[in-house]
Amino acid sequence: MDEVLNRILQIEHGFRHIYDAADEILGSYPRVRSLEIALDLYKNEAYQARMLATVILGNLADNNSEAYVFLREQVSRDKNWRVQEMLAVAFDLICKNTGYEKSMPVISEWMDSENPNIIRAATEGLRVWTNRPFFKENPLLAIELISRHQSHESLYVRKSVGNALKDISRKYPELVINELNGWDLSNPLIRFTYKYAIKHLDKTQRDGV
């Protein structure tokens, strides 16, 4: 573990080394021990260690309530943006390992949270939403879930919402346009989100919004 930790502490940018270290630990230890390692890593002041802990927990949380609750209640409060990026990765791992359709109660729970970091982790973690199983067949559901935070007070959340809709508009421009047609653009918060959402729509398509 010291070797793994020392290795990742040397790298300040990128995420690949974090994923590789998580795979190394999960492949070397039983799940119970991996959980203990993750919880111990999270106590470290170095953000790289907490990033690694978060990815390990995401791999365990689909059938380990302690890992799941720790991600939702503790990691979501971490002040480091890189750790929050890993929380998004962890959320997608939970849904992937559980199955996206079966994860709908969890997705709804996170999207309904009062914590903007939790909402953002769900919105960002499932990008591109319509490339994920279940949402491939239900793009309108994805659009509806994402759009409920079009006017969220957190710029962090609104930017993620706009970008997630922008992604979907590549394959489903009409569905996104239909959603945007109902937005109140006199609201500056919504107008901010809208500007991100339309970036992949050409001028002809935007004129219909």
Side-chain angles (χ1 to χ4, degrees):
M1 276 306 307
D2 288 342
E3 180 184 342
V4 171
L5 187 57
N6 288 335
R7 189 167 70 239
I8 67 169
L9 291 180
Q10 305 306 311
I11 304 174
E12 294 187 6
H13 305 291
F15 302 138
R16 182 71 260 169
H17 60 297
I18 300 295
Y19 305 149
D20 290 343
D23 288 343
E24 184 177 343
I25 290 169
L26 290 161
S28 301
Y29 300 98
R31 291 174 70 90
V32 172
R33 178 58 184 147
S34 294
L35 175 62
E36 293 172 349
I37 290 170
L39 295 177
D40 189 55
L41 281 168
Y42 195 79
K43 298 173 185 176
N44 198 298
E45 292 184 1
Y47 66 82
Q48 295 97 326
R50 302 198 308 280
M51 289 169 68
L52 176 55
T54 301
V55 176
I56 295 170
L57 292 168
N59 278 280
L60 301 173
D62 61 300
N63 61 9
N64 187 297
S65 60
E66 185 177 0
Y68 175 81
V69 170
F70 193 90
L71 287 168
R72 190 187 62 195
E73 302 300 329
Q74 300 297 323
V75 177
S76 69
R77 296 189 177 94
D78 199 292
K79 301 300 184 183
N80 189 283
W81 69 268
R82 295 176 181 85
V83 177
Q84 293 306 320
E85 289 296 320
M86 293 301 95
L87 180 61
V89 170
F91 184 76
D92 186 48
L93 286 168
I94 294 168
C95 296
K96 179 181 178 180
N97 293 336
T98 304
Y100 291 93
E101 184 172 5
K102 290 182 179 179
S103 296
M104 276 304 302
V106 172
I107 294 170
S108 295
E109 177 187 1
W110 283 51
M111 293 296 284
D112 289 338
S113 175
E114 295 183 0
N115 182 338
N117 285 339
I118 291 178
I119 299 170
R120 195 264 181 187
T123 306
E124 199 69 19
L126 297 184
R127 288 179 61 189
V128 176
W129 281 62
T130 49
N131 286 352
R132 302 294 196 265
F134 181 63
F135 291 112
K136 279 185 179 180
E137 291 75 38
N138 297 278
L140 188 57
L141 176 59
I143 292 169
E144 290 173 349
L145 284 167
I146 296 163
S147 296
R148 76 175 55 165
H149 293 299
Q150 61 186 264
S151 61
H152 198 280
E153 61 183 9
S154 167
L155 182 149
Y156 188 54
V157 169
R158 295 198 311 278
K159 185 175 180 180
S160 183
V161 166
N163 282 330
L165 291 172
K166 176 187 68 178
D167 293 341
I168 294 173
S169 74
R170 287 182 179 273
K171 288 185 179 179
Y172 303 99
E174 291 184 1
L175 293 181
V176 174
I177 288 170
N178 287 340
E179 170 61 35
L180 297 179
N181 275 330
W183 287 17
D184 177 10
L185 298 183
S186 67
N187 183 326
L189 301 181
I190 295 176
R191 193 162 61 247
F192 174 92
T193 310
Y194 170 86
K195 288 179 180 178
Y196 282 88
I198 65 169
K199 284 186 176 180
H200 286 325
L201 297 172
D202 63 36
K203 186 178 185 304
T204 302
Q205 292 169 317
R206 292 199 303 270
D207 287 343
V209 178

